Amino acid sequence: MAGLKSWTQERLGWDELAHLVQKKEVPIHRWTIFYYLGGMALFLFTVQVATGILLLLYYRPSSAEAFESVQYMMADVPFGWLIRSIHSWGANLFVGVVFLHMISVFFLKAYRPPREATWITGAVLLFLAMGFGFSGYLLPWNTLAYFATKVGTDVPAQIPGIGHLLSRILRGGSDVTGATLSRFYGIHVAILPAITTVFLGVHLVLVQRHGMSVPPGIERQGKPRTMRFVPDFLLRDMVGWLVAVALLAALAAFLPWELGVKADPFAPAPAGIRPEWYFLWMFQGLKYLPAKIAGIPGETLGVFFLGGLALVLAILPLLDRKRSRLWNAAAVVVLIGAALLTVLSLLPRKSMP
Amino acid sequence: MDAGVASGLLHLAATDSAVPSRLLSPDAASKRPSAPGGCGGAGPSAASPLLPDALWHRLRRVSLHPTPRRSQRHITPFFLGLLALAAAAWAAPQAPSPAGKPAQPAAIGCVDCHLALDDARITPPAKLFADDIHARAGFTCAFCHGGDASAQDQEVAHDKKKGFIGKPAPRDIPALCGKCHSDAATMKQFNPSLRVDQVSEYRTSGHGKMLAKGDTRVAQCASCHGAHGIQHVKDSRSPVSPRRVAETCNGCHGNASLMADYKLPADVYAKWKKSVHYQVRVEKGDLSAPTCNSCHGNHGAAPPEVGSVANVCGTCHTVFADKFRLSPHWEPFKEMNLPGCVTCHENHEIVRPTEAFLAEGDQGKCSSCHEASSAGGKAAAAMHTDLVALSGEIRAARVKVERAAEAGMEVSRIQFELSKADDALTTARTDIHRFQAAAVHATASGGLAVAREASKAADKALAERDYRRKGLFVSLAVILAAIVALTLKIRDLKTGQPPPPVN
């Protein structure tokens, strides 16, 4: 045993890693609870990877077979229903936790120097998470997903000049077809995971490099107490993960993710088409825009606004150098606006006269 | 004038006559009105004075200038002028007329006089005609009423020597309408797909026969279609449009005192409103379900003869009719002069049939002729038993499948299988019309086996749901135990104290 330890030590350098882990500390203060969100997001991402790999064993990415293969998983594959439901529910929890993580990091001002790159990689990971959600939504090839993807892939077409080309590239043609499904499958299981691996790796290395940020208000009161990452923080993290597993299992057993009806490209669009909840505010906002604003198509302006918002979010640490309170106010306005638009899009629609 | 009028004008200029010369009285055709307006002048579309003007010229050309050489001399510059006007109208911005009403022509004509007189008898028709399908096609008052439409003097306009007939007598109306509507050559210029045998059909109808005998209270063309505000039958404003035709028929057929004179019931509409046909047509909005004219015909309206009832019902219920013709009832019903389908299903108050039709009791139909102990009574009872068993099994299976679906179980394949049992039930119900219990039994048995399989599959799905929930509770217990263990461990840790020194 000692020989094996020394053999691996020589080749892998475990002791240095163990030393790093033992050295890692987490500050204790009234906002410590928000430190758990990063670990929770990472745990849920791991669940997504694991369940996603299992789904890959049965899923067939073609318009002729996708729906039937998911149906087969739900009805015949042992625990297929559990894996698929956990993957679907887990995706929503994951995006929700990532949002909360980012909001908490923003208000705790954890993006202050020297953690700008951590924030930027985190913002990219948020966009990647949304990309996972958007591409995965179509994969069961059911009616709601099909028409929601039609609407979603129309959005880039609003960009002047290259918009239509972008939309065509995204769809693999002029309309949402089996080619789009193959493309989204490739994006969902290969392209996005590859990019995510890089950004997640950098993000985690940077978190280890800089350690946990202490909020400015706490910092002013002096250096806070700390706890060891291992085992103190990790065990607490694990309690949260177990709660997440219990929640996912309960959702899968009592509210299995619905499969719906197979997509029929020739059928009229059904009522109540809507994207995943985290896109609803954009979807609703674009609907409210007038056809023309100062001679420019409203939707084009809307797409530019959203693109601008994403850019501002990504490079926020570079813009908020003086830690102005205006950024907090702007963030509150955006969050309230997005929440309001989400609620409005969920309200029952008035029937047409 | 709008762009549509301008393009219509160009179309008129480019094509040959739309209204044949034989429809014009010589007087109407020979006189150019002094100014646009009225029947022979501005014509039907007061909002587009150029359209009837062009029409007038074209009609005039057809009737007065038979030789192309002579007409060309006048027409070429005229049409060039029209084209210029059309182009100007296309390009000019549209100016709304006062109060949003169509611009009225200034000149005197039938419509101008009749509107100006403000008489309750003669003004409303002039108002209604502005939006009449015939007016839109370019026809004017004089086409039906005769007279000199261009005259400004009433005596001249209403001169009987000029063909004025005033208000046509009801008895003459079918022939008057038939003047165009029975003429294929005329009708194909306006609506090539429209039939031209309406008047012939009408003469075979109860209405037509009685009108021919001089009874003017019966329905003729104008009674149903209206006289001056006539719309296409598919236009919802038409009294005979699909959604309104039953109410229109009921206008007379619901009049008890009028129907009493003809010894006809006045409750047919009320009965139809209780029927499954009404439910489907009006409440569900499926216009393929029958209304009055679907079974009685429209222009040849008459009750189906006793022998033809099965044929009439069979136009929609084909399978039922085919099986009924093969049944042992077919010949005896004919011999007994029984009206086929109506014998069991009624004529207007056709309610949704149930299995109870086959059983003894108030709703029983078979039992009204067959004793329970007779061969017919036994066959009815056997068919009743089969159908009740099948429909009961399907209902029970469906309840289970829905429960499983509500629990989020994947049951689409079970639902598909169950739909086969539904098909078997439908087929068995059609088989009843052959009145052969063995055929019904064979079909129902097949359906019963499918429904039982679906029921078992639904039971399995519900058992799976229970298994999942039990599994969840076991898992939750394990997870809870792990959380408790972790919590206990965390309590043992001296969190917040300085970490042990690292070498």
Side-chain angles (χ1 to χ4, degrees):
Chain A
M1 193 68 190
L4 181 67
K5 193 177 174 188
S6 122
W7 189 87
T8 50
Q9 168 55 28
E10 279 173 23
R11 282 151 189 83
L12 302 173
W14 285 123
D15 278 2
E16 288 163 32
L17 197 63
H19 179 73
L20 273 176
V21 168
Q22 279 172 358
K23 237 178 80 177
K24 187 172 167 63
E25 289 178 3
V26 179
I28 302 174
H29 51 79
R30 58 182 168 148
W31 307 119
T32 297
I33 192 164
F34 290 111
Y35 293 141
Y36 295 104
L37 287 172
M40 180 64 83
L42 186 61
F43 172 73
L44 289 170
F45 179 73
T46 315
V47 170
Q48 289 309 101
V49 172
T51 52
I53 289 169
L54 291 174
L55 292 176
L56 277 180
L57 302 181
Y58 292 95
Y59 180 72
R60 291 194 286 269
S62 76
S63 57
E65 293 183 302
F67 181 84
E68 285 77 5
S69 65
V70 179
Q71 199 175 38
Y72 176 69
M73 270 188 259
M74 295 290 283
D76 295 315
V77 176
F79 296 102
W81 61 273
L82 182 67
I83 302 300
R84 195 231 162 191
S85 284
I86 286 183
H87 193 73
S88 303
W89 278 114
N92 287 277
L93 283 187
F94 170 61
V95 174
V97 170
V98 167
F99 270 118
L100 290 178
H101 179 45
M102 183 152 243
I103 292 167
S104 67
V105 168
F106 172 81
F107 285 107
L108 296 176
K109 302 294 165 191
Y111 54 81
R112 288 167 297 141
R115 295 184 178 81
E116 295 96 325
T118 319
W119 170 275
I120 293 168
T121 51
V124 173
L125 286 168
L126 171 73
F127 303 145
L128 288 168
M130 292 168 84
F132 270 115
F134 184 65
S135 56
Y137 194 50
L138 178 69
L139 299 188
W141 198 247
N142 58 29
T143 305
L144 276 184
Y146 174 83
F147 286 102
T149 305
K150 268 187 114 157
V151 176
T153 49
D154 246 347
V155 172
Q158 305 304 323
I159 302 168
I162 56 163
H164 285 284
L165 180 67
L166 277 180
S167 179
R168 279 183 69 84
I169 291 171
L170 207 53
R171 288 175 168 180
S174 57
D175 210 341
V176 175
T177 60
T180 320
L181 181 66
S182 309
R183 199 157 283 223
F184 273 42
Y185 173 72
I187 292 170
H188 192 75
V189 305
I191 297 171
L192 291 179
I195 302 171
T196 304
T197 306
V198 174
F199 278 89
L200 187 59
V202 174
H203 190 74
L204 292 177
V205 165
L206 289 172
V207 169
Q208 304 317 312
R209 170 77 182 78
H210 299 299
M212 302 295 201
S213 158
V214 178
I218 305 290
E219 212 170 38
R220 279 195 290 273
Q221 295 165 11
K223 196 169 187 285
R225 289 182 301 135
T226 58
M227 69 167 117
R228 291 166 299 172
F229 182 80
V230 179
D232 299 52
F233 189 81
L234 186 63
L235 288 180
R236 287 173 170 84
D237 244 349
M238 285 171 69
V239 171
W241 300 346
L242 285 172
V243 170
V245 169
L247 180 63
L248 284 174
L251 286 169
F254 280 95
L255 297 167
W257 198 265
E258 214 178 316
L259 179 56
V261 178
K262 186 177 180 176
D264 178 3
F266 299 107
I273 302 169
R274 59 167 68 120
E276 293 277 49
W277 61 269
Y278 39 89
F279 291 117
L280 282 176
W281 64 279
M282 302 183 211
F283 177 68
Q284 193 71 9
L286 289 173
K287 277 206 292 191
Y288 283 142
L289 288 174
K292 294 263 181 188
I293 301 168
I296 303 168
E299 287 192 353
T300 304
L301 280 182
V303 170
F304 276 121
F305 173 76
L306 291 173
L309 205 61
L311 184 68
V312 168
L313 184 75
I315 60 165
L316 184 67
L318 310 177
L319 303 173
D320 181 23
R321 287 182 171 280
K322 293 179 181 171
R323 275 190 282 141
S324 160
R325 284 183 182 275
L326 276 176
W327 285 102
N328 279 3
V332 169
V333 168
V334 169
L335 287 173
I336 290 175
L340 199 65
L341 285 169
T342 306
V343 170
L344 282 171
S345 72
L346 292 171
L347 290 177
R349 291 187 310 164
K350 282 181 189 171
S351 57
M352 295 294 282
Chain B
M1 189 172 74
D2 59 17
V5 173
S7 66
L9 191 59
L10 287 167
H11 174 73
L12 283 170
T15 55
D16 204 353
S17 63
V19 180
S21 59
R22 63 178 172 277
L23 297 177
L24 283 172
S25 68
D27 291 332
S30 63
K31 289 194 177 179
R32 174 75 173 96
S34 55
C39 303
S45 176
S48 51
L50 273 172
L51 173 62
D53 206 30
L55 184 64
W56 189 91
H57 272 276
R58 192 156 42 72
L59 296 173
R60 184 168 175 264
R61 168 166 59 87
V62 170
S63 55
L64 294 184
H65 306 291
T67 55
R69 176 184 289 274
R70 191 176 171 193
S71 64
Q72 278 169 356
R73 285 206 302 270
H74 300 279
I75 289 166
T76 305
F78 172 73
F79 277 126
L80 284 174
L82 280 184
L83 283 168
L85 278 171
W90 181 272
Q94 296 178 22
S97 57
K101 289 179 181 172
Q104 294 294 322
I108 294 173
C110 305
V111 173
D112 294 293
C113 281
H114 281 242
L115 287 178
L117 284 167
D118 198 20
D119 181 298
R121 191 176 60 87
I122 61 172
T123 304
K127 281 184 183 169
L128 285 170
F129 190 65
D131 195 26
D132 187 293
I133 190 170
H134 301 100
R136 292 198 296 272
F139 287 86
T140 62
C141 311
F143 281 96
C144 296
H145 294 283
D148 185 351
S150 62
Q152 297 180 23
D153 182 84
Q154 185 189 350
E155 282 185 16
V156 180
H158 290 189
D159 189 351
K160 288 187 177 171
K161 288 176 190 165
K162 295 186 176 181
F164 182 72
I165 59 168
K167 182 180 179 182
R171 192 173 175 167
D172 299 331
I173 286 177
L176 181 65
C177 297
K179 198 168 72 174
C180 293
H181 281 273
S182 299
D183 187 291
T186 302
M187 291 313 297
K188 72 179 176 187
Q189 296 174 63
F190 298 93
N191 186 348
S193 64
L194 200 66
R195 290 167 56 172
V196 288
D197 59 351
Q198 295 98 331
V199 175
S200 311
E201 270 205 320
Y202 176 75
R203 288 191 177 122
T204 68
S205 72
H207 299 136
K209 285 175 184 170
M210 280 185 274
L211 186 75
K213 287 177 190 167
D215 184 348
T216 55
R217 291 186 304 169
V218 297
Q220 29 74 16
C221 315
S223 316
C224 302
H225 291 278
H228 294 95
I230 298 172
Q231 303 297 338
H232 191 280
V233 291
K234 287 181 182 165
D235 188 319
S236 60
R237 291 172 296 173
S238 168
V240 288
S241 62
R243 289 182 194 276
R244 295 180 60 192
V245 67
E247 284 78 6
T248 300
C249 296
N250 190 49
C252 294
H253 285 272
N255 183 332
S257 62
L258 180 63
M259 289 299 106
D261 293 347
Y262 298 97
K263 296 190 172 101
L264 288 174
D267 60 351
V268 287
Y269 179 69
K271 283 185 167 179
W272 177 71
K273 283 185 81 169
K274 293 178 189 169
S275 74
V276 66
H277 292 146
Y278 176 85
Q279 280 174 14
V280 175
R281 186 178 179 90
V282 179
E283 292 169 10
K284 292 190 178 170
D286 180 352
L287 293 180
S288 64
T291 183
C292 312
N293 62 324
S294 313
C295 302
H296 294 280
N298 32 27
H299 300 102
E305 299 288 329
V306 167
S308 61
V309 166
N311 297 334
V312 172
C313 299
T315 54
C316 295
H317 300 281
T318 48
V319 176
F320 294 91
D322 288 346
K323 290 187 175 174
F324 182 63
R325 284 191 194 98
L326 299 170
S327 81
H329 283 114
W330 178 251
E331 289 301 328
F333 269 41
K334 280 207 290 189
E335 286 164 18
M336 293 161 74
N337 214 22
L338 289 172
C341 316
V342 168
T343 311
C344 299
H345 293 281
E346 305 293 332
N347 48 8
H348 297 103
E349 195 176 343
I350 301 167
V351 295
R352 187 176 288 280
T354 66
E355 277 81 34
F357 277 26
L358 296 163
E360 299 279 323
D362 294 345
Q363 292 182 54
K365 301 292 178 187
C366 305
S367 58
S368 61
C369 296
H370 297 281
E371 292 285 335
S373 57
S374 68
K378 286 176 183 168
M383 292 191 288
H384 179 252
T385 305
D386 281 329
L387 289 189
V388 168
L390 177 54
S391 57
E393 190 66 42
I394 291 173
R395 258 199 311 278
R398 180 148 291 128
V399 169
K400 290 179 194 171
V401 172
E402 282 168 6
R403 271 172 55 205
E406 281 167 16
M409 306 303 294
E410 171 51 42
V411 288
S412 53
R413 273 186 295 181
I414 307 175
Q415 284 168 329
F416 178 72
E417 289 301 313
L418 200 55
S419 71
K420 290 182 189 168
D422 284 329
D423 291 345
L425 180 61
T426 305
T427 309
R429 282 172 174 163
T430 64
D431 282 340
I432 289 168
H433 296 82
R434 285 184 69 179
F435 299 98
Q436 287 176 352
V440 174
H441 182 70
T443 313
S445 300
L448 204 58
V450 173
R452 283 179 182 147
E453 282 302 312
S455 186
K456 276 185 201 167
D459 282 335
K460 210 174 152 189
L462 287 170
E464 168 73 12
R465 176 204 62 179
D466 295 341
Y467 170 73
R468 289 180 187 183
R469 292 184 178 175
K470 281 177 196 159
L472 171 72
F473 289 122
V474 172
S475 309
L476 289 182
V478 173
I479 291 169
L480 190 64
I483 291 173
V484 170
L486 280 173
T487 312
L488 291 173
K489 174 72 182 164
I490 290 165
R491 280 176 65 182
D492 283 348
L493 297 169
K494 292 169 181 172
T495 302
Q497 290 187 3
V502 179
N503 295 325

